[in-house]
Amino acid sequence: MMQDWFKKAKLGIFAHYGIYAVGDVSESWSFHNGNISYEDYMKQCEGFTASKYDPKQWAALFKRAGARYAVLTAKHHDGVALFDTQYSDLSVVKKTPAGRDLIAPYTEAMREAGLKVGIYFSLIDWSDPRYRSVYPEGEKPEDHLKDVFATPAGGPEDPEKWEEFLQFNNNQLRELMTNYGTVDLLWFDGDWERSANQWKCPEFRAYLHSLNPNVIINSRLQGYGDYETPEQGIPLYGPRGVWEFCTTINTSWGYRPSDNDYKTSRMIVRMFCDCLTLGGNMLLDVGPKEDGTLDPRQVKILEDLGDWIHDNEEAVYDTGKGLDYRHFLGGSTLSEDRRTIYLFVYDKPSEYICLKGIKTPVKRVSVLHTGEELPFRYTGALPWSGIPGTLWIKGDEMTPHPMVTVLKVELDGEITYNLGHGEVVTNND
Ligand code: GLC
């Protein structure tokens, strides 16, 4: 069920933490795609220590980054649980030197820091033979003879085993939703290998709500969730309804020492601004090392993003979707009372910054992080015929923010627009 806190949260931190941080391989996909054998992939268990795992430190960092919620991988497609489950031996508790439940301290630390608690749970379990007992709807065994771990390895379907698998997922989810206090958000993944019918989505959703009626569920549940989750590529138009864009900091979800392809802090801030402009949240991923610590480059990006948010808080939380890019060639948000526009200026202006089609007169323009007032003027305004004219804000002398400069444009009332495509003026008062 969608909750207000989520719409206002704007930023969450995703953490892909698991045995895949041991070797230099991608989470689960590496064995699925045949880059490493299943046996070698699972050998990573031996090196997973969580020896410096301190989710309180994570929580402090996530808060400093400006996040309001976190999502941790309780189980990825490899099926290795980060929690102490009685329904499988495949967990970091039983199979790795870490030897303990990692979800409990995470949920406690996040809650204590005032962050909402999110749990990522893969519906796919490429380690469980029962998962491989049923083919994707409409497909035949011979389509899958080669996919050992993806989809069934050939042989007859076994609907009873599939039922058992669904029960297994339900059991693990009950553990997650009842043993760790309130879970605010369930982030499913991997719905695509089976149909809504096969996942029994309506019943499944009802089951989850019976455990917590307020839990938010993402839409990777064949559409039976509460919000869309575009991934890696920022949508050009915001999806309908509530949404959250998830992205890596480099190119990997989990920790890979060889991945040095980092985005810059400015890029991340810019991407965050794009999400705000289009009315979505951003879920920024970190990939902790096997010992539970974070690469300093990831920490730095979170801190930089936090600094920017801190300097411009007013333009971030308690705001809604911004202006269409036709009004302003940049990002923006609108205050809840719709009397203030926050413009995101990405580059240093060489003269004027221009805003078009806003009918409500502007009272004042200032640079948000410094408070300095900026001069502005209108050209082409014909108020008697409803043409607001173009607002020109003098921007070349302002003090820019090192990341993205926010201009606060205060209006003389609630925002109204002129969306005309140019009119002939027939009455010159
Ligand atoms: C993809 C991948 C997965 C990753 C997820 C995060 O769907 O399957 O590895 O966890 O994206 O959004």
Side-chain angles (χ1 to χ4, degrees):
M1 216 82 87
M2 187 38 69
Q3 308 292 331
D4 228 36
W5 72 259
F6 185 79
K7 295 189 229 164
K8 294 193 167 164
K10 310 294 182 190
L11 181 70
I13 303 294
F14 213 174
H16 274 67
Y17 188 34
I19 61 162
Y20 38 83
V22 173
D24 194 356
V25 297
S26 65
E27 72 294 342
S28 311
W29 289 98
S30 46
F31 69 82
H32 171 89
N33 291 338
N35 304 327
I36 181 174
S37 71
Y38 181 73
E39 289 67 33
D40 285 346
Y41 181 89
M42 282 300 165
K43 268 203 199 118
Q44 293 180 103
C45 283
E46 293 163 21
F48 186 79
T49 64
S51 58
K52 293 182 186 148
Y53 178 55
D54 182 0
K56 283 197 174 140
Q57 245 181 43
W58 286 10
L61 175 67
F62 297 174
K63 272 210 93 156
R64 179 157 172 351
R68 300 248 162 121
Y69 63 105
V71 180
L72 172 64
T73 47
K75 184 172 94 167
H76 205 264
H77 313 333
D78 59 13
V80 185
L82 252 58
F83 55 105
D84 192 10
T85 170
Q86 51 161 303
Y87 297 100
S88 160
D89 283 343
L90 194 51
S91 68
V92 298
V93 186
K94 292 185 182 142
K95 294 278 196 239
T96 76
R100 64 194 195 283
D101 188 311
L102 303 179
I103 293 295
Y106 158 78
T107 52
E108 279 158 28
M110 296 306 136
R111 225 170 269 135
E112 210 177 283
L115 294 163
K116 295 284 184 188
V117 177
I119 297 269
Y120 167 109
F121 186 89
S122 168
L123 293 165
I124 289 176
D125 186 334
W126 288 329
S127 286
D128 195 312
R130 294 169 300 183
Y131 174 74
R132 284 177 270 130
S133 60
V134 165
Y135 303 97
E137 207 164 47
E139 295 177 33
K140 297 187 289 302
E142 44 277 33
D143 298 333
H144 295 285
L145 290 175
K146 285 198 205 112
D147 300 341
V148 182
F149 294 105
T151 35
E157 279 195 63
D158 189 340
E160 260 171 52
K161 283 267 175 313
W162 177 249
E163 282 301 319
E164 268 179 43
F165 178 73
L166 292 180
Q167 191 52 50
F168 165 58
N169 268 357
N170 283 358
N171 287 336
Q172 286 204 325
L173 282 157
R174 194 181 55 250
E175 291 182 313
L176 286 167
M177 290 179 76
T178 56
N179 295 345
Y180 304 93
T182 306
V183 171
D184 302 294
L185 170 65
L186 281 175
W187 213 101
F188 289 111
D189 197 17
D191 59 341
W192 53 80
E193 289 191 349
R194 302 289 185 273
S195 66
N197 205 13
Q198 288 171 315
W199 292 120
K200 297 190 193 298
C201 283
E203 293 97 306
F204 184 49
R205 194 179 150 87
Y207 170 70
L208 299 170
H209 283 144
S210 75
L211 298 169
N212 173 8
N214 296 321
V215 72
I216 301 179
I217 303 171
N218 76 338
S219 281
R220 296 197 181 177
L221 199 59
Q222 294 288 2
Y224 281 81
D226 302 314
Y227 71 91
E228 293 295 323
T229 58
E231 164 174 342
Q232 298 290 35
I234 302 168
L236 297 187
Y237 312 90
R240 282 177 91 85
V242 181
W243 58 276
E244 169 203 69
F245 164 70
C246 57
T247 181
T248 53
I249 286 185
N250 45 14
T251 65
S252 314
W253 294 104
Y255 179 63
R256 294 196 62 177
S258 67
D259 185 350
N260 294 308
D261 197 359
Y262 276 82
K263 297 173 186 77
T264 66
S265 296
R266 271 192 198 82
M267 287 179 190
I268 295 286
V269 171
R270 166 67 189 260
M271 288 159 73
F272 182 50
C273 288
D274 283 348
C275 292
L276 296 173
T277 301
L278 296 172
N281 289 359
M282 183 165 90
L283 184 63
L284 180 63
D285 182 70
V286 294
K289 297 181 186 173
E290 67 75 24
D291 65 2
T293 59
L294 291 169
D295 187 301
R297 290 171 293 183
Q298 305 197 2
V299 173
K300 174 80 169 73
I301 284 186
L302 262 59
E303 288 175 350
D304 287 347
L305 175 59
D307 287 347
W308 181 81
I309 293 179
H310 180 262
D311 291 345
N312 296 286
E313 231 176 271
E314 206 184 301
V316 176
Y317 310 112
D318 305 320
T319 63
K321 198 172 174 164
L323 303 172
D324 185 278
Y325 294 117
R326 288 176 184 85
H327 292 284
F328 175 62
L329 291 175
S332 57
T333 52
L334 274 181
S335 63
E336 257 174 5
D337 66 7
R338 307 181 64 78
R339 287 166 168 262
T340 306
I341 313 170
Y342 299 96
L343 302 178
F344 302 146
V345 179
Y346 301 123
D347 304 298
K348 188 155 174 31
S350 28
E351 197 190 44
Y352 287 95
I353 295 156
C354 135
L355 186 62
K356 289 173 286 189
I358 309 298
K359 237 171 161 177
T360 318
V362 167
K363 282 198 308 200
R364 185 173 185 269
V365 180
S366 56
V367 178
L368 189 57
H369 75 286
T370 61
E372 65 192 294
E373 211 168 319
L374 296 184
F376 62 90
R377 63 193 183 101
Y378 284 93
T379 59
L382 300 175
W384 59 89
S385 57
I387 297 176
T390 301
L391 178 79
W392 302 95
I393 302 165
K394 186 124 167 46
D396 48 345
E397 280 162 24
M398 71 179 189
T399 316
H401 191 280
M403 298 282 162
V404 170
T405 311
V406 181
L407 300 188
K408 178 175 178 177
V409 179
E410 293 164 67
L411 304 175
D412 194 17
E414 262 190 49
I415 191 162
T416 50
Y417 305 94
N418 177 301
L419 304 176
H421 47 76
E423 277 142 57
V424 176
V425 178
T426 53
N427 58 332
N428 268 334
D429 272 14

